[in-house]
Amino acid sequence: MSRFAPTQHWLPIHPPQPSLPSYHHFTGMEEHRNPPSNLSSLLHQAAHQRLAATGCLVLALFLLCAIFAPWLAPHDPAQLNLTARLLPPSAAHWFGTDELGRDVLSRTLYGARISLLVAVAVVSISLTLGSILGMLAGFYGGFTDTVVNIYLTNAFLSLPGILLAVAIVAFLGPSLANLILALALAGWVNYARLVRAQVLSVKQREYVQAARSMGATDLHLMLHHILPNILQPLLVQAAIGMAAAVLSEATLSFLGLGVQPPTATWGAMLNDARSHLFESPYLMFFPAIALALCVFSFNLIGDGLRDYLDPRTRLRQGH
């Protein structure tokens, strides 16, 4: 062994210093950067779910039909042709003609416009109104919660939603605007109760309390710390609510309380087809299939989102 062994230089090892938590840690802002809490990432990943993907494809088909109906429709949906009454499906009229000689295919395409417009408008109004009232009730509690959760919601829930909508439309008069208003007033209760329950849970979280202790206002807490963390169940409820809005619009149109003629709606087409059910069943078949597929697509999207947002389902799928 050599007498001149190399000298070993020992460097001091300092233990790692714990980093101080930032403001975003206390306020929970890092949750908005997680993939499940980001809206665009949520919808992107939900599209890979089989149910949601199928529903999106069917809904995209109806959306294309509604947007490009003037170019896709072979005839004017309101054009009368009494010499071509009750013609069966053929090369000239793929879906046949009704009792006034109007092309059923053209009316079915234009009917998608009304159904999708009503679905989006009703859910937007109901979601906005219900979110505001539910947020106030859950955040402040006390007298506000009593008025909203006991008096208002119970008053609207005392009657079935469709009967309440029928009463409102019958009082105001049948029109598209009154139809949307009636369905929105009949459907905001479900959103209000959902938001209230979510707010009662989220407002006790540590990041909300930390933001409050740092001087955040109530409006800032509700908009920036509570609302972004309760969007996920609202998306599921909104998707299912659109399916219910399409069905409700068809029901009111079937009763003659929806959009008035000559505007084509699926519910009105089903009403017109009642007297020709046995000799011309295609009059009821095509609008009924369109209505069922549209409602089916919204329900598939809602079920797909619900399965994706369920932690147990995500664990089983390995996400």
Side-chain angles (χ1 to χ4, degrees), residues 51 54-55 58 243 290-303:
L51 293 178
T54 305
V58 177
L291 177 63
L293 288 178
C294 186
V295 174
F296 184 61
S297 66
F298 282 120
N299 284 330
L300 283 182
I301 294 174
D303 290 341

Side-chain angles (χ1 to χ4, degrees), residues 43 45-60 62 235-244 291-309 317:
L43 297 178
Q45 296 185 31
H48 295 285
Q49 301 289 322
R50 293 182 179 179
L51 293 178
T54 305
C56 288
L57 289 176
V58 177
L59 183 60
F62 280 103
L235 290 176
V236 178
Q237 184 65 29
I240 299 176
M242 287 188 179
L291 177 63
L293 288 178
C294 186
V295 174
F296 184 61
S297 66
F298 282 120
N299 284 330
L300 283 182
I301 294 174
D303 290 341
L305 287 174
R306 181 182 57 192
D307 291 342
Y308 173 76
L309 296 174
Q317 295 176 350

Side-chain angles (χ1 to χ4, degrees), residues 133 135-150 152:
L133 295 177
M135 182 78 71
L136 294 176
F139 188 82
Y140 290 108
F143 177 76
T144 304
D145 189 24
T146 301
V147 171
V148 174
N149 190 46
I150 296 180
L152 281 179

